[in-house]
Amino acid sequence: MTLKLDRILSWVESKEKKPSLSYGRKFRDGDIRNKRVDPFIGKELKIRVLFVNDPAIVVDQFPTAKIIEKTSNGNIIEFVSQDTPGLKRWLLGQAGSLRVLSPQSLIDDMKILIKKMEENYID
């Protein structure tokens, strides 16, 4: 707990014991952070992409990423993330270097976003 000392008017020392939590019941925030690219929480997705550049770029962003297959077109990489606006922004930020292969719901969302982006440049 973080307290601002200049805002505390008075305090009394407590004799209450701090509750003990077993290690197995503690919240593992690192597990959550490994699956997110922004502060939002969304539905967990298992994502598969084709990435033509250095796969370390994806692995650095998503610690759960694994190279599933190396092809002549690039690496097929699978990772777990959460369906959030930041995930889609990161995927779009890879431009022509990345293609989402699954899940279909994410492919559909990407198509909609790309179409909206294109409409921004139609005169």
Side-chain angles (χ1 to χ4, degrees):
M1 180 185 304
T2 302
L3 303 172
K4 291 191 169 249
L5 291 177
D6 66 334
R7 304 248 167 50
I8 297 173
L9 300 175
S10 66
W11 68 65
V12 177
E13 186 177 344
S14 174
K15 302 294 182 199
E16 294 288 322
K17 284 188 141 191
K18 183 177 176 181
S20 175
L21 289 176
S22 70
Y23 184 76
R25 295 187 59 207
K26 287 185 179 180
F27 179 73
R28 289 184 168 80
D29 63 327
D31 293 345
I32 300 298
R33 275 185 279 146
N34 286 343
K35 298 176 184 172
R36 295 181 31 210
V37 294
D38 61 7
F40 304 105
I41 294 179
K43 182 177 83 174
E44 193 170 285
L45 298 174
K46 183 184 254 185
I47 300 165
R48 192 172 278 208
V49 299
L50 174 64
F51 194 68
V52 300
N53 289 335
D54 183 355
I57 294 169
V58 179
V59 174
D60 285 348
Q61 184 65 46
F62 301 98
T64 62
K66 291 181 177 57
I67 298 172
I68 303 300
E69 183 181 343
K70 294 182 181 213
T71 72
S72 59
N73 295 331
N75 293 294
I76 296 177
I77 303 172
E78 190 171 86
F79 58 93
V80 175
S81 188
Q82 293 183 355
D83 188 7
T84 64
L87 168 68
K88 292 168 190 154
R89 280 192 299 272
W90 188 89
L91 294 170
L92 288 169
Q94 303 312 306
S97 299
L98 181 141
R99 179 178 176 200
V100 177
L101 302 175
S102 70
Q104 187 61 47
S105 61
L106 184 57
I107 294 169
D108 295 341
D109 288 349
M110 296 297 287
K111 286 178 180 179
I112 291 168
L113 288 169
I114 291 167
K115 189 172 186 83
K116 285 181 182 177
M117 288 174 64
E118 182 182 30
E119 289 170 0
N120 287 338
Y121 296 97
I122 295 174
D123 291 329

